[in-house]
Amino acid sequence: MSQWPDTYYACIFTNQRSESGEDLYPLLSEKMMALATSQPGFLGVESVRNDEGLGITVSYWRSREDITAWGENAEHRVAMSLGREEFYEWFQLRIAEVSTTRSFNII
């Protein structure tokens, strides 16, 4: 994170997985992760999911424009459509400006 700008943006994607699409979801998720990392302005990502299927993925971006461009990417739009139809019972997307970052390292 030391190379990140002083102010950047976080896309917080909270979701509940449905029981459909079990075979396709991991493949598509991996493909979208690889695609996102190649997008201009992408800084990083953190993602977790519990045993009940509740997940949260936070992706970090240099600007709102970079987030908008990611949302308009044709392959990502297909994946978003599949998410609504097949993969998620519900989801919520929030975008936040990050102006302060603090961390603690044991090492």
Side-chain angles (χ1 to χ4, degrees), residues 12-22 25 47-57 80 82-94:
I12 307 158
F13 180 61
T14 307
N15 59 78
Q16 178 64 52
R17 281 279 286 121
S18 66
E19 293 188 19
S20 64
E22 289 297 322
Y25 184 81
S47 188
V48 295
R49 184 168 307 282
N50 70 14
D51 292 338
E52 289 78 37
L54 179 65
I56 185 167
T57 298
M80 287 188 290
L82 280 171
R84 284 185 210 94
E85 295 170 14
E86 295 290 327
F87 302 137
Y88 302 117
E89 289 181 18
W90 59 264
F91 65 83
Q92 180 181 46
L93 178 68
R94 294 165 286 176

Side-chain angles (χ1 to χ4, degrees), residues 35-82:
L35 184 60
T37 62
S38 72
Q39 297 303 296
F42 178 84
L43 297 171
V45 66
E46 300 165 331
S47 188
V48 295
R49 184 168 307 282
N50 70 14
D51 292 338
E52 289 78 37
L54 179 65
I56 185 167
T57 298
V58 183
S59 59
Y60 301 98
W61 301 84
R62 287 193 186 279
S63 70
R64 291 290 307 247
E65 293 79 17
D66 293 328
I67 294 167
T68 299
W70 170 235
E72 294 173 352
N73 176 284
E75 287 182 80
H76 185 212
R77 293 191 65 78
V78 169
M80 287 188 290
S81 180
L82 280 171

